Each structure stands twice: as structure tokens, then as C-alpha cells.
Amino acid sequence: MNKPQMLVVEDDLAIGNLIMTTLETQQYQFHRANTGAGAVLDALSYRPDVMLLDLGLPDMDGVDIIKKIRSWSNMPIIVVSARSEDTDKVAALDAGADDYLTKPFSVDELLARLRVALRRVRYDNKKINEAASIYKNGDLKIDYAAGCVYQGLRELHLTPIEYKLLCLLTKNTGKVLTHHYITNEIWGSTSSSDTSSLRVFMATLRKKIEPDASHPKYIQTHIGVGYRMLRQQNSKE
Ligand code: CA
């Protein structure tokens, strides 16, 4: 996240301008919506990192906007509202708002709340990236970011071709990949010599990742067709 994107939803011109001027001082990027319908549309089109939301809008109540957005997005929503009753705050927070700032607000406080929201966005993004970079299947684990393969706690040492081959299979777990497809992905060609090389590399890969290479449980052979990475029973995904 280089420059955080904000969506400012505010129908009051003066307050909207104050918020935008404040965001400009921090080099945040932003879009502005004056209506509820515009807010939902902008949230969909621009995918902002954080939304600053006024509750009293001409066409929709802010709480309904929060509910709508929450049906498909987890982005932090900070309510900025003149409504100061506890019941209003509770309704907005229950609908899924992350924070609530009452007007008139101080610029410093607004910025502090935004920093908190952005910390959460960064944390969430980090978790998502980490989850996407780890593959687990039975006892087989691959850390794609580090390029490391483990069988249980033991790290396996694969050659670059074996690693490429394994990743191709794991990224398509459950699908049969044809000889033609695999050789084309690994060597960029599909000659018969590549098919025999594939058989050799598959044998060495199996020796490393299979507990019993003569009875493979991870990589299944489809004779005359190709190979498939099987999802193991004790695997959660
Ligand atoms: Ca308003």
C-alpha cells in the first residue's frame, strides 16, 4: 500500500472540504461522494482502503450504507457524524463501522483514527499475503515466498526443475496435468525427449516428497495422460 486511498462520503460542502484538505496534507489519495448511492458505487469502483462516512445523507441513511458495504467488503469504515447519541453510535458500530467520530472533530483526532484504521489494513493485507504464500497438503508444506519445501518438519532439498515441477502440481492440486502441459510449462517445448526427462524428474521428485516412492500418495500417475497432485485426507484445505 503506497499511497492509501480514502473514500470521503460527506454532503456538507464545508466539512467535506476540511476533510479533503486534511487528507491532502498527509498525501493520502481520495475520492469524494455526496450521496449514499454514490458512496456505494465509488466503494465498488475505487476499492478504497478506508471510508470516512457521514450518516446523514440526502438519499440514504449511513447505517444502511455500512450494512451494504459489509456484505462484500471488510475495509475500515470510520463514521464522522453530528449524531452524538449513544444509540446512533451503537447502531453504526453494530452495523459494522470500525470507529465513530463526532462532529465537530479535531483534525488531529481524525488523522489519529485514520492511522489506526490503516494499521489494521496493513495487518490484514500481510496476513492475506502470508496465507497465500504457504501451501499445506498432508505433511507436505511449501513456503512459496522463501522457496522452501518441507515434509513434516524436515526441509527437502529440491533441484530447480524439481521445485518448478512440484509448484506446478501443487498450484493445480486435484487437477490432472497432461505431459504436454507440464513439459511446455517447464521447458517451453513438448518434444518426446522432454516427456522422458519429465519421467526422470518425476521419479527423483517422488523419492524426495513421497514417504514411500513405490506407492506414491501425493503425485498420482495417469498412464498415457499425465500427473495429478492429490489432496491428502488429513489436510484442512
Ligand atoms: Ca450530512
Side-chain angles (χ1 to χ4, degrees):
M1 186 171 33
N2 296 332
K3 283 192 176 178
Q5 299 273 348
M6 313 283 168
L7 177 58
V8 181
V9 186
E10 176 60 74
D11 62 331
D12 183 298
L13 197 64
I15 295 173
N17 287 344
L18 169 67
I19 293 176
M20 289 191 292
T21 309
T22 306
L23 297 181
E24 267 169 348
T25 64
Q26 306 300 308
Q27 266 110 47
Y28 292 146
Q29 298 194 318
F30 53 84
H31 289 280
R32 175 165 184 194
N34 305 312
T35 63
V40 173
L41 196 64
D42 284 354
L44 277 166
S45 339
Y46 301 117
R47 300 277 164 168
D49 296 303
V50 180
M51 179 188 244
L52 291 169
L53 176 68
D54 175 28
L55 293 182
L57 293 164
D59 59 334
M60 263 168 98
D61 191 84
V63 173
D64 293 328
I65 298 173
I66 298 169
K67 287 180 189 158
K68 256 192 205 302
I69 304 265
R70 276 291 170 262
S71 65
W72 51 267
S73 168
N74 203 22
M75 83 170 132
I77 300 175
I78 303 175
V79 170
V80 182
S81 174
R83 298 179 196 166
S84 58
E85 297 293 323
D86 280 352
T87 50
D88 294 314
K89 292 183 187 171
V90 170
L93 294 170
D94 276 351
D98 292 78
D99 204 350
Y100 199 106
L101 200 56
T102 308
K103 292 173 187 169
F105 54 88
S106 89
V107 163
D108 286 341
E109 188 172 9
L110 173 67
L111 290 175
R113 306 277 183 110
L114 272 174
R115 285 195 294 273
V116 171
L118 287 170
R119 273 207 293 278
R120 167 154 90 76
V121 172
R122 290 199 183 96
Y123 179 80
D124 287 354
N125 287 347
K126 192 165 163 261
K127 287 281 154 208
I128 290 166
N129 290 339
E130 280 171 5
S133 74
I134 301 284
Y135 173 85
K136 274 188 194 152
N137 186 8
D139 291 327
L140 181 66
K141 187 176 127 182
I142 305 173
D143 181 340
Y144 291 125
C148 297
V149 182
Y150 302 87
Q151 180 57 259
L153 293 173
R154 191 166 52 92
E155 186 174 353
L156 307 177
H157 298 283
L158 305 187
T159 66
I161 298 270
E162 288 164 356
Y163 181 70
K164 223 170 149 183
L165 198 51
L166 178 63
C167 291
L168 190 61
L169 288 163
T170 54
K171 288 187 174 170
N172 293 284
T173 299
K175 293 182 203 157
V176 176
L177 304 183
T178 62
H179 298 132
H180 182 279
Y181 177 80
I182 298 172
T183 54
N184 195 37
E185 288 290 315
I186 305 284
W187 291 286
S189 70
T190 55
S191 71
S192 57
S193 68
D194 290 330
T195 308
S196 46
S197 305
L198 174 59
R199 209 169 298 127
V200 173
F201 280 109
M202 198 56 86
T204 62
L205 175 61
R206 273 175 165 156
K207 272 195 192 124
K208 292 179 184 179
I209 70 158
E210 297 283 359
D212 176 1
S214 56
H215 297 94
K217 62 174 195 166
Y218 287 97
I219 303 172
Q220 186 184 52
T221 300
H222 287 248
I223 295 164
V225 181
Y227 299 95
R228 172 159 75 141
M229 173 60 68
L230 294 176
R231 176 63 67 192
Q232 303 299 301
Q233 292 290 319
N234 59 344
S235 197
K236 290 206 174 88
E237 290 154 65

